[in-house]
């Protein structure tokens, strides 16, 4: 198991580049700014604008307001799952030298672009002051550390390799909801049975949700070492095993809803499962919050399991918050980060969000059964980093590969996707 994320320095410029630095490299008076002395507004940039994600943010803000009554939370959310729209808006703000007080990003390689552009404060001292290295799992601390420094505070730990299924649709197709397929080929056979029953086998949306499906087919087909090797150069993108994996992705994609590209975000695809129009949805465990908030009952209305072929593997991502260089209210930003990392903040947020706390001292007694299972799995499974959610590769690499995956959704040309992925890896990899 790879226990430390290999962070890859980005060498390319984005359309809306992160490389136009926001603070000129000069550290502001942040180092002396104390959260306890903070007043005024705190502008926080996220992509949690609606649905169950907004419910989670609201729960976190409630704790923040209780912790810091002299501060006013300024919600700068931009809608778009996985930050697909927000990242472009944020890049423009950073380039213009007008950062928010804190912004959401994905922990892992996604932060490398901001670090290279000298846009983030080093929060290592903040971790020491708040004893966070004692409260977060070592494996997580390792994945947050870049050249001995830490630049963000995670609010949670999410898992991306989860399949959610409608119990009745599976039964109608002659499938046992309690016995999911053991591998990818067996799951494809189950998808065929659902198709024969007249329902959509697998619900998916556009853009990043297809990248997420793609990454988990790669993980299922290649295994942990093969998947990890895609990002550190140990696996040849041009190899026969990758060809087979992409062919499997093509097959899986053929069982998805025909309107997938018109669904701009993840929730409508999950809703197809809730409505009984589709059997399965491969989605991160933020879907758990949607099922719960809509009143669906695990085991009765829906069930869940790791993507077939990825049992014993936790495909990791984490929503993380930063302190940008040049933040208008650095003391207020540190107050926000203090709440983010606290046990109370993480309990309130993750209970509503469907994820699990990064802070191991957070109370989880009344979390859902899914969340309790995820806590156990994270402690014992092999951990890999999500491609679609910024943990595996920097933004520029992800953007180019996402474009190739999106194009594949139209032409389904295996050779073209494989060639594009290989060229992208050669361009950005080591």
């Amino acid at each position: 198991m790879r226990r430390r994320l290999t962070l890859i320095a980005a060498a390319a410029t984005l359309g809306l580049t992160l490389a136009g630095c926001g603070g000129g490299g000069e550290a502001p008076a942040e180092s002396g700014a104390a959260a306890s002395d903070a007043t005024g507004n705190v502008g926080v940039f996220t992509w949690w604008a609606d649905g169950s994600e907004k419910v989670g943010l609201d729960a976190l803000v409630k704790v923040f307001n209780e912790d810091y009554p002299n501060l006013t939370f300024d919600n700068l959310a931009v809608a778009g799952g996985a930050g697909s729209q927000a990242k472009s808006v944020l890049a423009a703000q950073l380039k213009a030298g007008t950062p928010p007080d804190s912004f959401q990003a994905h922990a892992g390689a996604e932060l490398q672009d901001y670090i290279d552009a000298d846009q983030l404060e080093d929060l290592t001292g903040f971790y020491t002051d708040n004893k966070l290295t004692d409260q977060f799992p070592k494996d997580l601390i390792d994945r947050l550390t870049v050249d001995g420094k830490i630049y963000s505070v995670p609010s949670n730990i999410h898992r991306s390799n989860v399949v959610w299924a409608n119990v009745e649709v599976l039964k109608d197709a002659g499938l046992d909801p309690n016995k999911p397929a053991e591998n990818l080929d067996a799951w494809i056979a189950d998808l065929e049975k659902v198709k024969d029953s007249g329902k959509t086998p697998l619900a998916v949306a556009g853009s990043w949700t297809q990248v997420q499906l793609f990454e988990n087919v790669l993980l299922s087909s290649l295994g942990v070492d093969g998947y990890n090797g895609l990002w550190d150069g140990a696996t040849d993108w041009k190899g026969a095993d990758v060809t087979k994996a992409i062919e499997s992705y093509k097959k899986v994609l053929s069982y998805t809803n025909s309107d997938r590209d018109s669904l701009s975000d993840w929730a409508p695809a999950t809703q197809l499962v809730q409505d009984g129009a589709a059997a399965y949805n491969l989605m991160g465990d933020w879907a758990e919050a949607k099922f719960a908030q809509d009143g669906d009952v695990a085991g009765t209305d829906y069930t869940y399991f790791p993507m077939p072929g990825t049992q014993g593997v936790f495909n990791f991502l984490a929503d993380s918050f930063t302190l940008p260089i040049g933040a208008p209210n650095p003391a207020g930003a540190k107050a926000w980060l203090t709440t983010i990392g606290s046990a109370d903040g993480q309990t309130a947020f993750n209970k509503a969000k469907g994820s699990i706390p990064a802070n191991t001292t957070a109370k989880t007694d009344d979390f859902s059964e899914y969340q309790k299972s995820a806590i156990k799995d994270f402690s014992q499974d092999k951990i890999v980093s999500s491609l679609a959610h910024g943990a595996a590769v920097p933004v520029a690499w992800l953007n180019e590969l996402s474009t190739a995956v999106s194009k594949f959704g139209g032409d389904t040309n295996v050779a073209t996707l494989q060639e594009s992925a290989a060229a992208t890896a050669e361009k950005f990899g080591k």
Side-chain angles (χ1 to χ4, degrees), residues 265-315:
D265 210 347
W266 66 272
T270 303
Q271 190 67 47
L272 291 174
V273 171
Q274 292 179 273
D275 292 343
Y280 303 105
N281 175 224
L282 185 284
M283 188 49 57
D285 49 17
W286 44 91
E288 166 68 7
K290 177 169 168 52
F291 281 109
Q293 290 161 21
D294 290 346
D296 294 327
V297 178
T300 300
D301 301 309
Y302 71 99
T303 187
Y304 51 82
F305 48 87
M307 169 89 169
T310 72
Q311 298 89 336
V313 182
F314 195 110
N315 196 345

Side-chain angles (χ1 to χ4, degrees), residues 343 346-348 350-351 355-369 371-373 375-376:
Q346 297 230 338
T347 295
N350 286 283
K351 183 179 178 182
S355 45
I356 64 175
N359 190 319
T360 59
T361 69
K363 295 180 180 179
T364 59
D365 292 346
D366 60 349
F367 275 35
S368 72
E369 288 305 311
Q371 289 170 301
K372 291 177 181 178
S373 72
I375 291 170
K376 179 181 178 181

Side-chain angles (χ1 to χ4, degrees), residues 238-301:
K238 298 178 182 179
D241 52 349
V242 177
T243 305
K244 181 180 178 181
I246 297 175
E247 287 173 346
S248 293
Y249 174 64
K250 178 179 179 178
K251 185 67 174 178
V252 169
L253 200 63
S254 72
Y255 290 104
T256 62
N257 44 305
S258 60
D259 64 344
R260 60 180 183 254
D261 291 325
S262 68
L263 304 182
S264 59
D265 210 347
W266 66 272
T270 303
Q271 190 67 47
L272 291 174
V273 171
Q274 292 179 273
D275 292 343
Y280 303 105
N281 175 224
L282 185 284
M283 188 49 57
D285 49 17
W286 44 91
E288 166 68 7
K290 177 169 168 52
F291 281 109
Q293 290 161 21
D294 290 346
D296 294 327
V297 178
T300 300
D301 301 309

Side-chain angles (χ1 to χ4, degrees), residues 16-18 20-23 43-45 76 78 86-103 119 325:
L16 281 170
T17 181
L18 294 169
C21 65
V44 178
F45 189 97
L76 306 179
V78 173
K87 290 174 189 175
S88 294
V89 175
L90 176 65
Q93 292 180 0
L94 294 176
K95 184 178 181 181
T98 57
D101 292 308
S102 183
F103 64 83
Q119 293 170 333
I325 289 176

Side-chain angles (χ1 to χ4, degrees), residues 91-392:
Q93 292 180 0
L94 294 176
K95 184 178 181 181
T98 57
D101 292 308
S102 183
F103 64 83
Q104 177 187 1
H106 288 123
E110 181 176 298
L111 288 176
Q112 189 68 53
D113 290 322
Y114 302 109
I115 295 167
D116 290 345
D118 202 18
Q119 293 170 333
L120 298 182
E121 292 285 356
D122 174 8
L123 294 172
T124 308
F126 177 86
Y127 269 70
T128 300
D129 293 343
N130 290 275
K131 298 181 173 57
L132 293 182
T133 52
D134 297 329
Q135 299 173 55
F136 291 177
K138 183 182 182 301
D139 201 50
L140 177 60
I141 293 294
D142 287 347
R143 289 168 184 271
L144 294 170
T145 302
V146 182
D147 296 330
K149 299 178 181 179
I150 303 177
Y151 293 89
S152 68
V153 179
S155 58
N156 59 9
I157 293 170
H158 270 304
R159 186 178 195 174
S160 81
N161 61 318
V162 188
V163 175
W164 309 88
N166 184 293
V167 169
E168 289 303 318
V169 173
L170 295 186
K171 288 180 178 179
D172 290 344
L175 299 172
D176 185 345
N178 298 314
K179 294 182 179 180
E182 294 185 359
N183 55 50
L184 190 56
D185 288 341
W187 193 42
I188 289 173
D190 288 351
L191 294 173
E192 182 68 26
K193 290 179 181 179
V194 175
K195 181 180 178 181
D196 291 342
S197 75
K199 296 293 180 69
T200 298
L202 177 62
V204 70
S207 62
W208 65 268
T209 70
Q210 293 178 33
V211 178
Q212 182 177 257
L213 179 61
F214 177 62
E215 75 177 39
N216 283 297
V217 171
L218 290 174
L219 177 59
S220 177
S221 185
L222 298 173
V224 169
D225 291 342
Y227 175 82
N228 286 339
L230 295 172
W231 321 125
D232 65 18
T235 299
D236 183 4
W237 272 100
K238 298 178 182 179
D241 52 349
V242 177
T243 305
K244 181 180 178 181
I246 297 175
E247 287 173 346
S248 293
Y249 174 64
K250 178 179 179 178
K251 185 67 174 178
V252 169
L253 200 63
S254 72
Y255 290 104
T256 62
N257 44 305
S258 60
D259 64 344
R260 60 180 183 254
D261 291 325
S262 68
L263 304 182
S264 59
D265 210 347
W266 66 272
T270 303
Q271 190 67 47
L272 291 174
V273 171
Q274 292 179 273
D275 292 343
Y280 303 105
N281 175 224
L282 185 284
M283 188 49 57
D285 49 17
W286 44 91
E288 166 68 7
K290 177 169 168 52
F291 281 109
Q293 290 161 21
D294 290 346
D296 294 327
V297 178
T300 300
D301 301 309
Y302 71 99
T303 187
Y304 51 82
F305 48 87
M307 169 89 169
T310 72
Q311 298 89 336
V313 182
F314 195 110
N315 196 345
F316 156 90
L317 64 136
D319 296 302
S320 210
F321 285 85
T322 65
L323 175 53
I325 289 176
N329 187 354
K334 290 178 77 173
W336 170 249
L337 295 176
T338 300
T339 295
I340 286 286
S342 70
D344 288 347
Q346 297 230 338
T347 295
F349 174 71
N350 286 283
K351 183 179 178 182
K353 187 72 159 55
S355 45
I356 64 175
N359 190 319
T360 59
T361 69
K363 295 180 180 179
T364 59
D365 292 346
D366 60 349
F367 275 35
S368 72
E369 288 305 311
Y370 166 76
Q371 289 170 301
K372 291 177 181 178
S373 72
I375 291 170
K376 179 181 178 181
D377 288 349
F378 186 77
S379 72
Q380 63 186 25
D381 283 2
K382 295 181 178 179
I383 301 172
V384 301
S385 296
S386 170
L387 163 67
H389 300 282

